[in-house]
Amino acid sequence: MEEKLKIKLSIADRVYPLTIDPKQEEGLRKAAKNIESLAKKFEQNYAVRDKQDVLAMCALQFASKIEQGGIDSSESTKAAYERLKALDDLVHSKLGE
């Protein structure tokens, strides 16, 4: 069993101590860095000073990317299925089935 790792992440001027699996560290640190970067952009571009509002906007941005990725993936899968079905129909028609 892997040893747990204790780290501290800073998000929106708060420090969050976490106990994690070592394999999660890189992803969590990158996520915290991305949140900090996006929060700074929102604060600069929209003159938002309330950290809760900034974090809510960050959460919405990241969640919408995930949801849109799922939608895009679903549409791509559907299009690929339709192309495969058309190809299958063509092969069957050429084979006389």
Side-chain angles (χ1 to χ4, degrees), residues 24-71:
Q24 294 178 299
E25 183 180 12
E26 184 179 359
L28 287 169
R29 290 197 186 278
K30 283 182 178 181
K33 186 177 179 179
N34 288 338
I35 292 168
E36 281 292 313
S37 175
L38 188 57
K40 282 182 183 177
K41 285 182 186 176
F42 282 134
E43 288 174 333
Q44 291 169 351
N45 293 336
Y46 299 105
V48 179
R49 295 286 174 239
D50 183 8
K51 292 292 184 183
Q52 184 173 349
D53 290 340
V54 170
L55 290 174
M57 292 167 66
C58 289
L60 180 60
Q61 178 98 8
F62 290 122
S64 69
K65 283 183 181 181
I66 291 169
E67 291 299 324
Q68 190 60 49
I71 291 168

